[in-house]
């Protein structure tokens, strides 16, 4: 089985290399030879492993990675009050800066709609599904939302949004296929947003302008919280930076050629504190994408700029920050301009998923029935707590789960570095997502966190 997976990924890389037209047959041959001669423990093996789906760690590793001198700056009660203040400020700020209005978001979608988000392309993160509709035959096949990425674009049409106008939603989702640790839970809370654009706005300059506006809101929220909660003003943790550093994934690769993706990101944010990585999904010069991205929403295949004669690709990216509490990098947001019908076909061909074109959502794109758009998500609990869950997977998100439904679906969920509650953790200087968001955690994790003076909400 491992050999099959290696072969499949190798074939996928070769197809993508050829499809982008950036590498000659000589480079493809060199890449093939390198894969054959490199041991699994060496660099190509590390880079390949970095592209895999959900990671599985151990609680010994979690114990080793947690801070040893941590003490929450706010009490549990103060934390909840700060979260309420932060949510109100950020939602109003996003509406003001991006011209958005709030809409309700679904908790479940029909399986055959094609609107649910599979998060990656290797099929490792599957949604919770169940039959719905007592007394009807056949019953509806529905799935719990993993992300509202595709639904939002359709919603722009449903709510009659004009060019320059957009929407956001306070999304709640379930992602069951993760290892549960201090950075991840099965329960996801996220702001999801989407905005109508014109063909002329599908460029890097427009993407960067919106990223700067979003960071302005996050920075403003940090200033407000420090004013209202003086305990956050400590020399132990510096304030968040005023501006982001924009860097393309190819440039990062050139800076840290021998490092796999996560280590490249860590080295970068340790130097610049807060960055926006542009161009995530297309194959880079070393034959690997910076990270695997789904083929049917963000546009990662469009040529953008050239650097020293080398073509760069991608109209999407992630906001990453250095968390001084956990001494780790954290992803706060993921966002991008969405695929056109032309780039949708190209990316589905590269990912070998052209059968998606038969789904209703994808047909709407192909038939120009939904508008061109840009969108993203901001994980809430991470942003509040300085990375226990903020994913702007860019990527704003859904309706709340009821107390009766939530326990049934909160399975172990976690992959170090990618979840949905970063905002609270980042701004409130928290060490764990579970300090901001109630979830279901194994007792082993409770014991590990309590050793480090971290108390997870139950």
């Amino acid at each position: 089985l491992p050999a099959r997976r290696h072969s499949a990924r190798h074939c996928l890389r070769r197809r993508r290399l050829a499809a982008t037209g950036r590498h000659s047959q000589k480079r493809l041959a060199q890449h093939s030879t390198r894969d054959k001669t490199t041991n699994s423990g060496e660099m190509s093996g590390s880079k390949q492993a970095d592209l895999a789906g959900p990671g599985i760690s151990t609680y010994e590793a979690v114990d080793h990675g947690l801070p040893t001198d941590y003490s929450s700056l706010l009490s549990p009660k103060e934390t909840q009050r700060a979260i309420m203040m932060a949510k109100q400020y950020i939602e109003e700020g996003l509406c003001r800066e991006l011209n958005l209005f709030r809409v309700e978001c679904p908790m479940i979608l029909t399986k055959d709609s094609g609107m649910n988000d599979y998060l990656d392309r290797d099929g490792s993160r599957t949604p919770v599904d169940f039959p719905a509709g007592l007394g009807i035959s056949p019953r509806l096949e529905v799935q719990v939302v993993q992300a509202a990425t595709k639904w939002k674009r359709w919603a722009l049409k449903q709510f009659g949004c004009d060019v320059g106008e957009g929407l956001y939603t306070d999304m709640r989702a379930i992602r069951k296929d993760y290892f549960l640790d201090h950075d991840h839970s099965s329960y996801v809370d996220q702001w999801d947003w989407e905005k109508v654009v014109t063909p002329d706005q599908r460029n890097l300059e427009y993407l960067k302008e919106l990223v700067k506006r979003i960071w302005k809101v996050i920075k403003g929220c940090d200033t407000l919280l420090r004013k209202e909660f003086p305990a956050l003003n400590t020399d132990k943790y510096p304030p968040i930076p005023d501006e982001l550093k924009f860097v393309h994934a190819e440039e990062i690769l050139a800076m840290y050629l021998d490092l796999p993706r996560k280590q490249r990101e860590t080295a970068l944010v340790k130097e610049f504190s807060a960055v926006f990585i542009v161009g995530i999904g297309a194959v880079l010069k070393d034959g690997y994408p910076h990270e695997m991205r789904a083929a049917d929403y963000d546009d990662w295949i469009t040529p953008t700029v050239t650097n020293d004669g080398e073509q760069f690709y991608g109209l999407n990216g992630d906001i990453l920050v250095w968390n001084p509490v956990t001494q780790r990098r954290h992803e706060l947001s993921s966002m991008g301009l969405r695929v056109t019908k032309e780039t949708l076909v190209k990316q589905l061909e590269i990912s070998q998923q052209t059968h998606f074109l038969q789904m209703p959502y994808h047909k709407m794109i192909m038939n120009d029935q939904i508008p061109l758009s840009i969108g993203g998500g901001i994980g809430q609990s991470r942003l509040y707590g300085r990375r226990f869950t903020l994913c702007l997977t860019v990527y704003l998100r859904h309706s709340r789960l009821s107390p009766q439904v939530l326990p049934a679906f909160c399975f172990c969920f976690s992959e170090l570095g990618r979840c949905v509650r970063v905002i609270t953790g980042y701004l409130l200087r928290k060490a764990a997502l579970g300090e901001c968001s109630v979830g279901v955690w194994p007792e082993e994790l409770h014991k590990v966190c309590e050793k480090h003076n971290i108390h997870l909400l139950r």
Side-chain angles (χ1 to χ4, degrees):
L1 184 58
R4 284 185 176 182
R5 287 176 177 170
H6 174 83
S7 177
R9 287 173 179 151
H10 174 68
C11 290
L12 177 58
R13 287 200 306 274
R14 287 176 61 88
R15 288 190 178 94
R16 294 186 66 182
L17 287 165
T20 58
R22 302 187 306 167
H23 297 268
S24 64
Q25 293 298 319
K26 180 179 180 181
R27 177 173 289 280
L28 288 172
Q30 290 173 340
H31 187 73
S32 176
T33 302
R34 185 181 68 206
D35 278 357
K36 291 178 181 178
T37 58
T38 304
N39 295 324
S40 59
E42 296 180 356
M43 188 48 57
S44 72
S46 298
K47 289 186 175 183
Q48 181 175 321
D50 232 12
L51 300 178
I56 298 177
S57 185
T58 66
Y59 291 112
E60 290 80 8
V62 173
D63 187 6
H64 179 73
L66 290 174
T68 57
D69 59 347
Y70 173 75
S71 179
S72 177
L73 300 178
L74 302 179
S75 69
K77 184 187 294 185
E78 289 173 324
T79 297
Q80 294 303 309
R81 289 173 174 169
I83 288 173
M84 180 182 297
M85 183 178 295
K87 287 192 66 172
Q88 181 177 352
Y89 182 93
I90 290 171
E91 290 179 12
E92 291 177 354
L94 291 173
C95 288
R96 179 182 64 253
E97 294 295 330
L98 304 182
N99 192 26
L100 310 177
F101 65 95
R102 189 184 189 281
V103 301
E104 294 299 320
C105 185
M107 187 66 246
I108 57 175
L109 295 165
T110 58
K111 184 176 181 178
D112 61 6
S113 69
M115 287 193 188
N116 209 351
D117 191 340
Y118 281 80
L119 306 178
D120 50 38
R121 297 198 295 276
D122 64 6
S124 59
R125 300 187 236 187
T126 59
V128 174
D129 54 26
F130 59 93
L134 186 63
I136 62 174
S137 181
R139 300 182 73 176
L140 298 175
E141 293 186 43
V142 300
Q143 298 176 332
V144 178
V145 167
Q146 292 199 122
T149 313
K150 290 183 276 190
W151 177 85
K152 294 178 299 176
R153 185 172 178 182
W154 172 80
L156 291 172
K157 177 183 178 180
Q158 176 174 240
F159 293 107
C161 294
D162 296 324
V163 171
E165 190 177 22
L167 53 84
Y168 86 92
T169 182
D170 189 359
M171 187 202 77
R172 299 293 183 266
I174 298 297
R175 299 179 184 177
K176 64 181 177 62
D177 292 323
Y178 292 85
F179 173 77
L180 183 63
D181 67 5
H182 63 297
D183 263 350
H184 299 81
S185 80
S186 294
Y187 173 59
V188 172
D189 53 356
Q190 181 167 309
W191 293 293
D192 263 317
W193 63 272
E194 200 81 10
K195 182 175 181 177
V196 180
V197 299
T198 66
D200 292 340
Q201 290 173 321
R202 299 190 74 259
N203 56 67
L204 281 183
E205 289 71 24
Y206 185 72
L207 172 65
K208 291 179 179 180
E209 174 61 27
L210 294 196
V211 172
K212 292 176 182 177
R213 288 177 174 271
I214 291 169
W215 188 254
K216 176 183 175 182
V217 174
I218 294 174
K219 176 63 180 179
C221 186
D222 180 61
T223 301
L224 172 67
L225 292 174
R226 285 174 174 271
K227 177 182 178 181
E228 298 297 326
F229 298 90
L232 295 176
N233 295 292
T234 171
D235 294 335
K236 189 174 182 179
Y237 308 126
I240 69 174
D242 294 332
E243 297 180 349
L244 292 168
K245 172 75 172 179
F246 288 85
V247 190
H248 195 280
E250 288 282 14
E251 295 175 304
I252 303 171
L253 176 63
M255 294 166 65
Y256 312 104
L257 184 60
D258 293 331
L259 295 180
R261 186 262 306 181
K262 293 177 184 177
Q263 294 180 34
R264 294 200 298 269
E265 291 179 348
T266 297
L268 184 72
V269 296
K270 285 179 71 174
E271 180 177 354
F272 295 105
S273 185
V275 302
F276 184 78
I277 299 177
V278 181
I280 301 177
V283 172
L284 304 179
K285 191 173 183 179
D286 67 343
Y288 298 87
H290 183 79
E291 187 179 35
M292 300 286 275
R293 288 293 161 91
D296 52 2
Y297 48 90
D298 279 356
D299 184 338
W300 40 258
I301 201 65
T302 291
T304 53
V305 298
T306 57
N307 185 20
D308 293 331
E310 183 176 4
Q311 182 68 62
F312 288 179
Y313 295 79
L315 291 169
N316 68 331
D318 290 352
I319 295 177
L320 275 76
V321 297
W322 178 252
N323 185 343
V325 180
T326 60
Q327 293 293 298
R328 292 176 50 198
R329 89 201 191 293
H330 292 303
E331 177 194 316
L332 298 188
S333 168
S334 178
M335 62 180 291
L337 286 143
R338 307 311 193 188
V339 291
T340 64
K341 59 184 178 182
E342 292 82 12
T343 57
L344 172 63
V345 172
K346 289 180 182 179
Q347 293 183 178
L348 289 176
E349 288 174 346
I350 290 170
S351 63
Q352 301 180 3
Q353 293 175 316
T354 53
H355 57 284
F356 281 10
L357 292 171
Q358 302 305 312
M359 292 183 173
Y361 169 77
H362 302 78
K363 287 182 178 179
M364 285 189 286
I365 295 176
M366 297 303 296
N367 295 327
D368 298 317
Q369 294 174 332
I370 53 178
L372 297 175
S373 67
I374 185 173
I378 304 175
Q380 295 176 10
S381 298
R382 280 190 184 166
L383 182 56
Y384 304 142
R386 206 149 220 188
R387 170 96 170 140
F388 239 104
T389 288
L390 159 61
C391 182
L392 203 161
T393 141
V394 143
Y395 276 8
L396 309 174
R397 301 205 179 212
H398 300 37
S399 304
R400 302 168 187 250
L401 294 177
S402 70
Q404 294 77 24
V405 174
L406 178 58
F409 289 125
C410 284
F411 305 108
C412 289
F413 154 65
S414 178
E415 173 198 22
L416 295 178
R418 293 217 66 198
C419 182
V420 181
R421 300 178 196 98
V422 173
I423 289 273
T424 38
Y426 183 59
L427 296 180
L428 302 185
R429 282 65 174 172
K430 296 293 185 179
L433 176 156
E435 294 182 273
C436 300
S437 176
V438 177
V440 177
W441 322 98
E443 284 302 316
E444 189 174 0
L445 181 61
H446 278 285
K447 293 176 182 178
V448 167
C449 287
E450 286 169 3
K451 286 173 54 181
H452 296 264
N453 201 26
I454 299 169
H455 305 283
L456 306 180
L457 298 176
R458 298 175 183 264

